[in-house]
Amino acid sequence: MIQQRKRKTKDPCPECYLHRDLCLCSLIPRLESRTRLCLVIHAKELKRTTNTGRLAIKALLNSEMRVRGDTQEALDLSDLLVPEYRTVLFFPAEDARELDAGFMAEDPRPLQLIVPDGNWRQASKVNTRHPEIAGIPRVMISAPNKSQHHLRAETTEEGMATLQAIAQAFMVAEGPEVGGALMDLYQEKLKRTLVGRGVLPKPT
């Protein structure tokens, strides 16, 4: 298959980072959930037009974003460890457990997902360089990503865009109403990005 050259979006929407003619901001849902999302994003990722984690923050009311790598001071996540939430790191570490119905049934508290956002190297540092969260479980979704198109090249068959992975996690934790809405948002982002790259035709 011929690989399409990725072109930098000129004058993108400052919110969804799509070309203004393809902006999807009006389609972003506002979703309530018991599950809480904390997106730990690398500062360099904020500038990437293919970033999808910020869309999850905009869609989920019970969420927040923290930026790492923008100062010399280490980001402290210890205040996230509160007893009312079952806090986990959503990262495929060697000891990560499958996020499934069985895992959810072990604890009645709502889940708090700490999700690293960045390239593989940046995301892995959240797993290894934050001693304050060293003791919390790592969870993952190991189902292969069978999507025909991707926003970025994936290095493993399980590789997903951040919003795509969050949607899968919320499908387990919250059900199809929330998880499905997030997945629809990801698919719309993907489709409009591919239109902007010329991979898909513009809708008439």
Side-chain angles (χ1 to χ4, degrees), residues 21-198:
D21 289 346
L22 297 168
C23 174
L24 56 66
C25 289
S26 64
L27 301 178
I28 298 175
R30 301 293 286 164
L31 303 169
E32 295 184 356
S33 64
R34 291 181 74 243
T35 303
R36 185 174 190 273
L37 169 67
C38 178
L39 187 77
V40 181
I41 189 169
H42 194 276
K44 292 182 179 179
E45 187 68 19
L46 291 170
K47 303 175 183 178
R48 301 194 67 174
T49 59
T50 53
N51 177 265
T52 60
R54 297 191 312 156
L55 289 176
I57 294 295
K58 292 180 183 298
L60 291 164
L61 296 173
N62 192 11
S63 67
E64 69 166 304
M65 180 174 71
R66 300 197 182 185
V67 180
R68 65 184 304 270
D70 58 339
T71 68
Q72 294 298 319
E73 294 185 11
L75 179 65
D76 186 359
L77 302 174
S78 58
D79 64 305
L80 295 175
L81 305 180
V82 292
E84 57 263 34
Y85 281 104
R86 182 189 189 188
T87 302
V88 300
L89 180 67
F90 192 35
F91 184 80
E94 289 185 1
D95 60 346
R97 295 184 58 190
E98 190 73 19
L99 181 59
D100 55 19
F103 181 84
M104 293 298 300
E106 292 175 1
D107 193 318
R109 292 176 298 171
L111 199 66
Q112 178 173 225
L113 282 170
I114 300 176
V115 179
D117 194 8
N119 61 32
W120 178 256
R121 181 171 175 271
Q122 292 161 351
S124 63
K125 289 180 179 179
V126 179
N127 179 47
T128 59
R129 295 192 179 181
H130 286 269
E132 71 275 20
I133 60 170
I136 68 173
R138 273 56 176 158
V139 297
M140 63 182 290
I141 291 178
S142 59
N145 181 3
K146 297 181 179 180
S147 301
Q148 181 181 0
H149 297 290
H150 306 277
L151 288 170
R152 303 178 191 172
E154 300 293 349
T155 57
T156 68
E157 68 174 5
E158 297 89 7
M160 299 182 190
T162 302
L163 176 57
Q164 189 179 17
I166 290 171
Q168 295 272 27
F170 272 74
M171 198 79 75
V172 174
E174 293 287 326
E177 184 173 349
V178 176
L182 292 172
M183 188 61 74
D184 288 345
L185 180 61
Y186 167 72
Q187 293 295 344
E188 194 64 35
K189 166 75 172 179
L190 175 62
K191 181 180 73 175
R192 293 183 184 220
T193 299
L194 294 175
V195 169
R197 292 176 183 171

